[in-house]
Amino acid sequence: MNIGQPGAPRRATISDVAREAGTGKTSVSRYLNGETNVLSSDLRARIEAAIQRLDYRPNQMARGLKRGRNRLVGMLVADLTNPYTVEVLRGVEAACHALGLMPLVCNAANELEMERRYLQLMTTYRVEGVIVNALGVEEEALRRLGEGGTPAVLVDRKVDGLEADMVGLDNTAAVQLGMRHLIERGFEDILFVVQPFEQVSSRRLREMAFRHALDDARRSRAQAAPPLEGRTVVLDLADADALARAYADLDAYLDAKRAAGARRVACFAANGPVALSLALHLHARLGANWQARVALMAIDDPEWAELIGITAIRQPTYAIGYRAVEFLHERIEGANAPLSEACLPGELVARASTSAA
Amino acid sequence: MNIGQPGAPRRATISDVAREAGTGKTSVSRYLNGETNVLSSDLRARIEAAIQRLDYRPNQMARGLKRGRNRLVGMLVADLTNPYTVEVLRGVEAACHALGLMPLVCNAANELEMERRYLQLMTTYRVEGVIVNALGVEEEALRRLGEGGTPAVLVDRKVDGLEADMVGLDNTAAVQLGMRHLIERGFEDILFVVQPFEQVSSRRLREMAFRHALDDARRSRAQAAPPLEGRTVVLDLADADALARAYADLDAYLDAKRAAGARRVACFAANGPVALSLALHLHARLGANWQARVALMAIDDPEWAELIGITAIRQPTYAIGYRAVEFLHERIEGANAPLSEACLPGELVARASTSAA
DNA sequence: TTGTAAGCGTTATCAG
DNA sequence: CTGATAACGCTTACAA
């Protein structure tokens, strides 16, 4: 270990500082913990100088061991590749910063095995709490976390059997917002495109809201108005074969519509990754001018949406992350309040894609 | 969670396990550390059972305190919003996984203050090493890290005054690749668009490579061939005013070219964020059909490149991350080899944008 | 106002 | 093979 160069630069410890300052560890500890009013200004100055000289940094690990809290909070995310996740993370980091916490970010990269592993690792590092944007399945590992007494906050999705605070988009309102927009703009064929939604609460909620919004719109539609058509399309981005089949169906549907002389079909993507997949497919199949045939709208507002003029429902991602940490912090501090759920509103960003059917 | 006061579920410690198994802590520790051959199978079984029953997880912090190594490696990134970063991260995580390390990801979000803070925090948590994708400036905090004896590996950019291993793209080769492509396709006006490059080594290298490639091409050009024009355009994405001015100049240049009846101008973006900014600007100024006027090509291959057919030079991001951890691991294990530098090759992905001038 | 000593959960040393 | 016991770097009674 560090055999090589002369003077293996071992980090200074509190004892080193005490010696250097000609005092005991206790006083140094007091200084570190801001109990400066208990220290004579002379001693304080000596300690300060010693710390400077030795470039001393208190060891958080040792501190945590003794105090029982190491200020580490785990942030387990399903997929860092999703811009949504990164944005939420910014809120999380800001809040952690403000509260003196250190986020331990773990990316499951859409793999269950990773999720499990990281959850394990986190408990091993004795994080004081966990913010979880789970893959969806795998309640087990999470439940054990809870049983271990580690507070958790869920982001975007619930996990069956795990009772924890949760923060995310107001899915129902967001979908209603989108549907109202599409209908106002005169769309008569609306496809709600979503990843397999049985396991993931937010997707389930969005899909349900879509069907309800559709029903409501039909009910309140004038007799004379053209009928409103709508259906749910499931896109399993993780399964290439299933995806190919789904797209074949979609293509057939679009072709039929066109043959029937219908207006542009609207595709309402349930989130950013779906929207991207759709856009790529349509681009490949219909050419650069694909938007003449299909109007894409999405929940989430990835950077490329502006680039090709896609209407989006932007999530309050920063706020979601920030709020999650606040929830967690309360629990860590021992709050015993009933579980709460924060549903933050989305915001419609209208762009060219949906300007008219 | 953490419902009710009763039985605050303190995590089991090694002593608990020892008691439960009717043995001493030493044996449990031995079991945990895989010295199973030294244990009678009876004892081993009892320990195993006790661990199961108590759902025991060794405390990494305590372990680290004693052993002097906690398996934590810091990963400081300049900007998680940049897809490049996220991709590198995947390589980092995979390698950490393989080597039994725990990545502590910190996002400076392009703020110097954050970078400094996180660097501090990391040393406070006694990370065994750091992988740094630095903002560029701020050598100071990093240098102190090095002096503290913490090994570091640089990703994508060097830092003045910090001697550390480094891994990144082979910038020169990548730019040459791109230039050759553009020239082959008949472009005669090439703008190399890059963020302020004085402070950031990779940008500097790319810009230099651009000028050299340009000179070389001119030299080896046939007498009769039309002249090759090229210049560097600096885009400071962080400074709105400067950005606006730069774009005004760019627009004027493009208009002049067009008035002179020139072919399409090629914009060679030095990285993904620049490419995005350019695309957004051109889209806003020239309309959806902007690509008829400008051919965009970029180092980095963000998800939207395929969507609008932008030729890209893809970086071996995963390999970069993986390699960085390998370097770091060697240093952590005490390797004393001379500093090395891994320059990994980029790959050209030709798309419609540069199909012909 | 200051210092001593006893842990926090592990591992390492050294006897049985 | 097994198990006390002393650290690791820090905080916190408890004294002085």
Side-chain angles (χ1 to χ4, degrees):
Chain A
M1 39 141 302
N2 263 336
I3 326 157
Q5 306 331 334
R10 195 183 55 86
R11 283 223 86 97
T13 77
I14 198 174
S15 303
D16 297 331
V17 176
R19 197 177 323 111
E20 178 85 8
T23 176
K25 315 195 289 177
T26 310
S27 296
V28 180
S29 176
R30 291 208 174 98
Y31 175 88
L32 294 174
N33 292 289
E35 303 174 37
T36 72
N37 45 349
V38 201
L39 296 175
S40 71
S41 61
D42 168 52
L43 184 49
R44 188 169 26 192
R46 269 151 53 211
I47 293 178
E48 190 148 6
I51 289 181
Q52 283 296 329
R53 240 172 344 227
L54 300 178
D55 188 27
Y56 168 70
R57 307 279 169 68
N59 182 331
Q60 272 298 111
M61 300 310 188
R63 217 185 257 229
L65 190 55
K66 182 63 193 161
R67 281 215 272 231
R69 37 170 36 199
N70 55 20
R71 313 275 70 191
L72 239 32
V73 310
M75 165 92 205
L76 179 61
V77 303
D79 175 21
L80 258 191
T81 265
N82 186 342
Y84 167 83
T85 305
V86 176
E87 289 168 19
V88 169
L89 209 53
R90 296 222 27 197
V92 167
E93 291 188 309
C96 281
H97 183 159
L99 293 170
L101 299 169
M102 177 73 163
L104 185 59
V105 180
C106 300
N107 176 26
N110 280 322
E111 288 179 40
L112 229 63
E113 188 44 41
M114 278 283 139
E115 178 165 304
R116 218 172 283 134
R117 191 181 113 87
Y118 271 129
L119 236 24
Q120 265 262 50
L121 266 181
M122 286 176 163
T123 82
T124 255
Y125 281 97
R126 297 294 188 272
V127 295
E128 295 185 37
V130 195
I131 296 173
V132 184
N133 170 228
L135 286 177
V137 219
E138 184 57 19
E139 335 72 46
E140 192 46 27
L142 269 167
R143 204 156 348 170
R144 301 183 64 164
L145 232 201
E147 282 161 11
T150 310
V153 172
L154 296 171
V155 164
D156 185 68
R157 0 183 135 164
K158 293 196 174 162
V159 168
D160 272 4
L162 178 65
E163 302 200 329
D165 296 315
M166 127 111 201
V167 35
L169 178 67
D170 183 337
N171 291 296
T172 304
V175 170
Q176 282 171 349
L177 194 63
M179 289 298 283
R180 211 173 304 129
H181 174 78
L182 288 177
I183 291 167
E184 266 172 15
R185 298 305 174 97
F187 289 94
E188 291 160 4
D189 289 296
I190 306 179
L191 263 28
F192 189 77
V193 191
V194 58
Q195 288 169 278
F197 54 84
E198 308 298 351
Q199 304 273 9
V200 177
S201 65
S202 52
R203 294 181 194 154
R204 218 163 39 222
L205 252 32
R206 289 173 196 179
E207 199 274 338
M208 194 181 305
F210 164 69
R211 282 185 288 110
H212 287 165
L214 204 60
D215 288 348
D216 289 350
R218 281 178 178 143
R219 245 194 305 282
S220 62
R221 214 166 165 79
Q223 270 310 45
L228 187 57
E229 218 176 292
R231 58 173 73 181
T232 297
V233 173
V234 174
L235 232 49
D236 187 347
L237 301 180
D239 177 344
D241 290 343
L243 191 61
R245 264 176 278 127
Y247 275 135
D249 289 353
L250 178 65
D251 294 341
Y253 181 84
L254 293 177
D255 289 346
K257 278 297 163 191
R258 178 184 221 192
R263 296 176 163 196
R264 280 202 309 160
V265 170
C267 283
F268 188 167
N271 67 15
V274 164
L276 179 64
S277 175
L278 267 173
L280 286 171
H281 171 77
L282 294 171
H283 176 83
R285 174 141 196 282
L286 305 176
N289 206 27
W290 61 272
Q291 297 203 65
R293 297 266 311 270
V294 178
L296 185 55
M297 178 174 86
I299 289 184
D300 282 344
D301 189 21
E303 55 187 18
W304 51 266
E306 169 77 23
L307 195 55
I308 58 174
I310 300 296
T311 294
I313 297 169
R314 185 179 294 164
Q315 297 198 49
T317 46
Y318 183 89
I320 289 175
Y322 207 101
R323 188 61 157 283
V325 175
E326 288 176 336
F327 273 165
L328 194 59
H329 186 244
E330 287 170 21
R331 297 288 173 195
I332 289 176
E333 295 308 322
N336 219 19
L339 296 180
S340 48
E341 191 162 330
C343 291
L344 278 35
E347 173 197 3
L348 185 87
V349 181
R351 298 204 181 88
S353 71
T354 56
S355 59
Chain B
M1 11 225 26
N2 243 345
I3 327 146
Q5 319 311 12
R10 197 183 53 87
R11 284 221 84 99
T13 78
I14 199 174
S15 303
D16 297 332
V17 175
R19 196 177 324 112
E20 178 84 7
T23 177
K25 317 195 287 179
T26 310
S27 295
V28 180
S29 176
R30 288 205 176 98
Y31 173 89
L32 293 174
N33 291 288
E35 303 174 36
T36 74
N37 45 347
V38 201
L39 296 175
S40 70
S41 61
D42 169 51
L43 185 48
R44 187 168 29 193
R46 268 153 51 211
I47 295 178
E48 191 148 5
I51 289 181
Q52 283 296 329
R53 238 169 346 220
L54 300 178
D55 188 28
Y56 168 71
R57 308 280 169 68
N59 182 331
Q60 272 298 104
M61 298 311 188
R63 220 184 252 229
L65 187 56
K66 182 64 194 163
R67 283 215 272 229
R69 38 168 39 198
N70 54 20
R71 312 278 68 190
L72 241 30
V73 311
M75 166 92 206
L76 179 61
V77 303
D79 175 21
L80 259 192
T81 265
N82 187 341
Y84 167 84
T85 305
V86 176
E87 289 168 20
V88 169
L89 208 53
R90 295 225 24 198
V92 167
E93 291 188 310
C96 281
H97 183 159
L99 294 170
L101 299 168
M102 178 74 165
L104 185 59
V105 180
C106 300
N107 177 27
N110 280 322
E111 288 180 41
L112 231 62
E113 188 43 41
M114 278 283 139
E115 178 165 303
R116 218 171 285 133
R117 190 181 114 87
Y118 271 130
L119 236 23
Q120 266 262 50
L121 266 181
M122 286 177 165
T123 84
T124 256
Y125 280 97
R126 296 297 188 271
V127 294
E128 296 186 37
V130 196
I131 296 172
V132 185
N133 171 227
L135 285 177
V137 221
E138 186 55 21
E139 334 72 44
E140 191 47 26
L142 268 167
R143 202 155 352 171
R144 301 183 66 164
L145 231 201
E147 282 162 11
T150 310
V153 173
L154 296 170
V155 164
D156 185 70
R157 355 184 138 164
K158 293 196 175 161
V159 167
D160 272 4
L162 178 66
E163 301 201 329
D165 297 315
M166 128 110 201
V167 35
L169 178 68
D170 183 337
N171 291 295
T172 305
V175 170
Q176 282 171 349
L177 194 64
M179 289 298 284
R180 211 172 305 130
H181 174 79
L182 288 177
I183 291 167
E184 266 174 14
R185 298 304 175 97
F187 288 93
E188 293 161 2
D189 287 297
I190 307 180
L191 263 28
F192 189 76
V193 191
V194 59
Q195 288 167 277
F197 54 85
E198 308 298 349
Q199 305 273 8
V200 178
S201 66
S202 52
R203 294 181 194 155
R204 217 162 42 222
L205 252 33
R206 290 175 195 177
E207 199 273 340
M208 195 181 304
F210 164 70
R211 282 185 288 110
H212 288 164
L214 204 61
D215 288 348
D216 289 351
R218 282 177 176 143
R219 247 193 307 282
S220 63
R221 214 165 164 81
Q223 272 309 48
L228 187 58
E229 218 177 293
R231 59 173 72 181
T232 296
V233 173
V234 175
L235 232 49
D236 187 346
L237 302 181
D239 177 344
D241 289 344
L243 191 61
R245 264 176 278 127
Y247 275 133
D249 289 353
L250 178 65
D251 293 341
Y253 181 84
L254 293 177
D255 288 346
K257 279 296 163 190
R258 177 185 223 191
R263 297 176 163 196
R264 279 201 308 160
V265 170
C267 283
F268 189 166
N271 67 14
V274 164
L276 179 64
S277 174
L278 267 173
L280 286 171
H281 171 77
L282 294 171
H283 176 83
R285 176 141 195 284
L286 306 175
N289 205 27
W290 62 272
Q291 296 204 65
R293 299 265 311 268
V294 178
L296 184 56
M297 179 173 85
I299 289 184
D300 284 342
D301 189 21
E303 54 186 19
W304 51 266
E306 169 78 23
L307 194 57
I308 58 174
I310 300 297
T311 293
I313 296 169
R314 184 181 295 165
Q315 297 199 48
T317 46
Y318 182 90
I320 289 175
Y322 206 102
R323 188 60 156 285
V325 175
E326 288 176 335
F327 273 165
L328 194 59
H329 185 243
E330 286 170 23
R331 296 288 173 196
I332 289 176
E333 295 310 320
N336 219 19
L339 294 181
S340 47
E341 192 163 328
C343 292
L344 278 34
E347 174 197 1
L348 185 87
V349 182
R351 297 206 180 87
S353 71
T354 57
S355 60

